């Protein structure tokens, strides 16, 4: 996990969509970061199926990757959406291994995706005491028209103590299925053809 400076926003970078010919998968990779200009939506957290005691709002960005080694070369500077995270924290010491109930909504160019699941805390002292690293796994429970469901996973950083030099945010992979249509199949074939040409 790279160190994020205090001015950055949640991350999505540009939506990175991939689909094989005839497949129904859509993959989006993005970054989110807590952002005072994008407060949490109280209506989202009111719909959470558990008691919410932490609400986070953020902006969505699409990072750029080096095609040679996959490293992020730009965290993304153009906001492409917003996100709300609703969390149930039971131990404010944030011990490693604790699981947090989470309910999240991502407002993306493709539409609004809502997910429910858990975040498992990995550590609370790397690279500084009080900084919390976690991994989240969620099921999509509400999706835009044309989609039928999927999953969202993340590598996340929480900075509950507001340590200088670090930001609360995540790198996400959203893996969804959508209904097949002739139009979608044509797009998938074009995408595959462009990928094959790029490899030649």
């Amino acid at each position: 996990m790279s160190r994020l400076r205090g001015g950055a926003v949640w991350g999505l970078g540009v939506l990175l969509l991939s689909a094989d010919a005839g497949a129904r998968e859509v993959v989006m990779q993005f970054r989110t970061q807590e952002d005072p200009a994008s407060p949490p939506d109280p209506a989202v957290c009111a719909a959470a199926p558990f008691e919410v005691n932490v609400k986070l709002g953020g902006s969505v960005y699409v990072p750029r990757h080096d095609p040679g080694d996959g490293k992020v070369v730009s965290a993304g500077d153009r906001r492409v959406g917003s996100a709300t995270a609703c969390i149930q924290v039971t131990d404010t010491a944030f011990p490693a291994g604790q699981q947090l109930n989470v309910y999240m909504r991502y407002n993306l160019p493709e539409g609004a995706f809502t997910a429910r699941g858990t975040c498992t805390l990995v550590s609370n002292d790397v690279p500084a005491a009080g900084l919390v690293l976690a991994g989240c796994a969620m099921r999509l429970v509400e999706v835009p028209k044309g989609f039928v469901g999927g999953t969202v996973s993340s590598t996340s950083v929480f900075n509950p103590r507001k340590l200088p030099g670090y930001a609360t945010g995540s790198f996400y992979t959203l893996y969804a299925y959508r209904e097949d249509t002739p139009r979608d199949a044509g797009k998938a074939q074009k995408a595959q053809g462009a990928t094959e040409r790029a490899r030649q």
Side-chain angles (χ1 to χ4, degrees):
M1 170 61 66
S2 60
R3 180 168 174 166
L4 299 178
R5 293 292 177 179
V9 192
W10 273 8
L12 198 134
V14 172
L15 281 179
L16 302 177
L17 306 179
S18 68
D20 294 328
R24 298 190 303 169
E25 297 94 339
V26 176
V27 180
M28 306 178 197
Q29 293 183 321
F30 55 94
R31 181 180 66 86
T32 62
Q33 189 168 309
E34 190 174 12
D35 182 6
S38 184
D41 183 344
V44 174
C45 294
F50 51 81
E51 183 178 352
V52 175
N53 52 15
V54 174
K55 303 174 184 178
L56 300 173
S59 293
V60 173
Y61 300 82
V62 181
R64 288 189 299 149
H65 299 81
D66 185 322
D69 57 19
K71 290 180 182 177
V72 173
V73 295
S74 171
D77 55 5
R78 185 175 68 87
R79 183 178 182 273
V80 299
S82 63
T84 293
C86 313
I87 308 169
Q88 184 181 53
V89 175
T90 56
D91 186 343
T92 55
F94 298 100
Q98 179 182 189
Q99 284 197 325
L100 309 178
N101 289 320
V102 294
Y103 187 78
M104 303 192 185
R105 179 166 297 164
Y106 312 92
N107 298 308
L108 307 177
E110 287 274 348
F113 294 83
T114 303
R116 176 189 176 186
T118 58
C119 291
T120 301
L121 306 187
V122 176
S123 66
N124 60 12
D125 58 0
V126 177
L131 193 70
V132 180
L133 305 184
C136 304
M138 295 163 281
R139 177 177 179 171
L140 290 173
V141 294
E142 293 181 18
V143 293
K145 183 178 180 180
F147 288 86
V148 294
T151 67
V152 186
S153 60
S154 78
T155 295
S156 300
V157 178
F158 298 104
N159 188 8
R161 296 187 183 179
K162 307 298 182 184
L163 301 176
Y166 300 97
T168 290
S170 303
F171 281 85
Y172 284 97
T173 296
L174 187 154
Y175 189 99
Y177 288 89
R178 68 180 309 156
E179 299 170 351
D180 277 331
T181 66
R183 182 180 177 184
D184 291 337
K187 286 183 177 180
Q189 290 172 357
K190 289 180 180 179
Q192 184 183 42
T195 301
E196 292 175 349
R197 288 193 296 273
R199 291 174 178 171
Q200 294 175 354

